Structures are given as C-alpha cells and as structure tokens.
C-alpha cells in the first residue's frame, strides 16, 4: 500500500515562506540505519535532536520520487530548503537500488528548483557496520 502526501489541500500562498531550514534529507525508514544516520548527519554539522532540517523517512528512500517531489515542494517553498540529500541503501526491503538516486536527481532537476543543490549517497554494509558513499558526481 502506498500513502501519498496530498498537497492539493494547500493554496499556493500557504506554500511560500522565508523560513531557513537548509536541508531536506530523504532516507529509508529501515531502523538498521539509525546508528549510522547519527554519524552521517554529523558530517553536515547536524544532530538528530536539532530542528533546523527536514527529514523524509519512507520505505525505499529516494526510490519514491513522487513522494519526494511532493515533500520537496513544501520544504523548498515553505521551509527555505536549498539542499536535498537523497539516500538509498543496499538490501532495501522497499526495493531501492543505487540507480534510483540518479533517476530521482533527474526528476528533481526537471522540476526547476532554482538554487537547489542535490546530493546523492548510497549506504552499504562494510563488515558489521554501515558506511556510505557519495554518489553525487
């Protein structure tokens, strides 16, 4: 079952704001990533208990481009987000694969969010721990 976030209930002026949130992180809901997520946020100077970033947790992470775009509209226009961090991980029960990062980036770029930086990260097992690789280039 897929749950969609319906933005049609908002008027365009309700989606506009000057808030300074900075980041929108898109990640899988998989609880196995919780510990590595704290370390990952730290590379951006952030901590889970801070409230100056948005986070979308959804099965498959960046694989769900329609959901990502719906949330990005609010995050960009209402929260001032100018960086979106897209992630997927190996062994994803939601079916995400590494190539989903590039497909999501292409669709976000085609939506013409002026000034939006898109970063891509792939999470994988390295021995008994999770690690990540920057796939942005």
């Amino acid at each position: 079952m897929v749950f969609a976030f319906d933005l049609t209930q908002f008027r365009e002026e309700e989606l506009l704001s000057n808030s300074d949130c900075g980041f929108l992180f898109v990640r899988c809901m998989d609880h196995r990533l919780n510990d590595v997520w704290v370390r990952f946020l730290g590379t951006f100077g952030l901590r889970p208990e801070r409230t100056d970033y948005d986070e979308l947790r959804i099965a498959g992470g960046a694989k769900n481009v329609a959901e990502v775009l719906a949330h990005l509209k609010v995050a960009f226009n209402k929260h001032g987000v100018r960086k979106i961090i897209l992630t997927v991980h190996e062994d994803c029960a939601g079916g995400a694969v590494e190539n989903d990062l590039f497909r999501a980036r292409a669709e976000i770029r085609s939506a013409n969010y002026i000034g939006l930086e898109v970063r891509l990260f792939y999470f994988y097992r390295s021995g008994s721990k999770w690690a990540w690789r920057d796939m942005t280039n």
Side-chain angles (χ1 to χ4, degrees):
M1 177 179 278
V2 175
F3 296 95
F5 184 67
D6 182 14
L7 294 177
T8 59
Q9 63 186 329
F10 297 102
R11 293 186 314 268
E12 192 65 30
E13 61 271 13
E14 290 176 314
L15 295 175
L16 300 175
S17 175
N18 247 347
S19 174
D20 186 21
C21 183
F23 294 92
L24 170 59
F25 289 90
V26 178
R27 65 168 282 194
C28 186
M29 61 186 267
D30 192 330
H31 71 280
R32 297 176 300 164
L33 298 171
N34 290 347
D35 290 338
V36 72
W37 195 254
V38 174
R39 287 189 291 123
F40 181 68
L41 287 175
T43 65
F44 295 92
L46 301 171
R47 296 181 315 277
E49 64 274 8
R50 288 183 52 179
T51 59
D52 54 352
Y53 65 91
D54 286 344
E55 184 175 301
L56 171 58
R57 286 188 185 197
I58 186 169
K63 174 185 178 183
N64 297 290
V65 181
E67 287 290 320
V68 171
L69 287 170
H71 283 79
L72 178 58
K73 183 174 183 179
V74 174
F76 188 86
N77 293 321
K78 190 75 171 165
H79 298 167
V81 162
R82 292 302 177 261
K83 294 179 184 173
I84 184 169
I85 312 300
L86 302 173
T87 69
V88 297
H89 66 92
E90 73 177 10
D91 190 30
C92 180
V97 295
E98 199 171 318
N99 282 339
D100 289 325
L101 292 169
F102 305 108
R103 184 176 57 86
R105 178 175 61 187
E107 290 197 38
I108 289 168
R109 285 182 174 166
S110 71
N112 292 319
Y113 284 98
I114 306 297
L116 180 69
E117 179 183 344
V118 182
R119 303 275 309 271
L120 314 174
F121 293 89
Y122 181 72
F123 285 78
Y124 62 95
R125 297 290 291 183
S126 178
S128 64
K129 299 200 179 239
W130 285 94
W132 64 86
R133 181 171 46 247
D134 189 341
M135 305 295 292
T136 303
N137 293 329

